[in-house]
Amino acid sequence: MSDRTVSTDLNKVIAELEEKVKELPGNFVAHHHLGMVYHKAGRHNDAIRELKKCLEIDDASAEAYINLGALYFELGKLDEALEANKKALIHAVNPAQAHCNIGLIHQQRGENDKAIDSYTKATINDPKLAFAWINLAAAQIGAGAFADALIAARKGVEHDPKYPMAHNNLAVAQFYNDDYQAAAESIKKAEALGYPVEPMFKKILAEKV
């Protein structure tokens, strides 16, 4: 399918959802679907407007806060992203995703200790959330907590063995724990799954094996 076809299909869906929103201006689901399609189409300001409309209709929707936070994060508006995810924490039945998102924000800011705290809370609330374990490992590596990072990275692979980044982060953790052969094997798995391993890391690792 060509990019033009995808764009045409999206525009058609957007037009249909815009009509639905006009018919049902107080319908949370209609606004939320429109916001998500706007996001997919790269119309970020429109997506933010629709998600804010969702929150006018239901100010206790953790899903809307999380999606709004994700949009702000993509746009580099970290303060707004943090605020949205903090509100999601208040209303979420399971706050794991919000904690994970807050960890990403802190990690983006270079605040490793705060990132570690947030990712740890995410893993407590959802021990099977592989993305939280994977990012926890990265933050722990950044903080020099290499033994802890190895434990977290192994959990990430355990819960999602087909996730390329999980194997890459495990390789980095193994490297910093001086297990170079295991790191080389993990790199092979990461690459086999399509992960673009950092060339300099591969070079340094090759010199150790």
Side-chain angles (χ1 to χ4, degrees):
M1 184 179 291
S2 69
D3 290 342
R4 180 176 294 179
T5 301
V6 171
S7 178
T8 300
D9 289 345
L10 274 177
N11 288 335
K12 181 180 178 182
V13 172
I14 287 171
E16 291 172 352
L17 287 172
E18 287 174 339
E19 285 301 314
K20 181 64 70 175
V21 164
K22 288 178 183 178
E23 294 171 13
L24 303 169
N27 187 284
F28 176 94
V29 174
H31 284 285
H32 194 268
H33 283 174
L34 179 56
M36 292 297 93
V37 177
Y38 277 145
H39 181 201
K40 188 173 183 180
R43 294 172 57 175
H44 296 117
N45 290 333
D46 290 330
I48 288 171
R49 183 192 68 239
E50 290 304 313
L51 289 172
K52 285 184 174 180
K53 182 63 180 179
C54 288
L55 292 167
E56 289 176 14
I57 297 168
D58 179 5
D59 64 359
S61 171
E63 182 182 17
Y65 281 121
I66 285 174
N67 287 327
L68 182 60
L71 269 165
Y72 281 135
F73 184 82
E74 287 181 24
L75 295 171
K77 297 182 177 182
L78 299 185
D79 290 341
E80 291 90 338
L82 183 59
E83 182 64 23
N85 279 286
K86 283 182 175 179
K87 288 181 179 177
L89 286 178
I90 297 170
H91 301 292
V93 175
N94 184 341
Q97 186 61 58
H99 279 304
C100 194
N101 291 348
I102 290 171
L104 281 170
I105 294 165
H106 287 308
Q107 200 168 359
Q108 184 74 12
R109 289 174 165 172
E111 300 166 346
N112 277 329
D113 288 345
K114 290 182 178 180
I116 288 169
D117 180 65
S118 294
Y119 290 137
T120 299
K121 289 175 180 174
T123 63
I124 290 170
N125 282 277
D126 185 354
K128 294 183 179 181
L129 186 58
F131 191 66
W133 288 110
I134 293 164
N135 283 282
L136 175 58
Q140 289 170 329
I141 289 167
F146 302 133
D148 290 340
L150 184 58
I151 293 169
R154 283 173 173 162
K155 286 283 188 179
V157 170
E158 174 187 339
H159 293 302
D160 194 347
K162 293 184 179 180
Y163 193 5
M165 186 186 290
H167 293 281
N168 179 79
N169 287 14
L170 176 57
V172 177
Q174 289 165 330
F175 176 88
Y176 280 109
N177 282 279
D178 302 325
D179 193 348
Y180 306 123
Q181 189 59 51
E185 291 301 316
S186 293
I187 282 298
K188 289 180 183 177
K189 291 177 182 177
E191 289 186 318
L193 290 167
Y195 191 84
V197 177
E198 171 61 42
M200 185 57 69
F201 177 62
K202 286 180 63 177
K203 180 180 178 181
I204 293 171
L205 178 59
E207 294 170 354
K208 295 284 188 178
V209 177

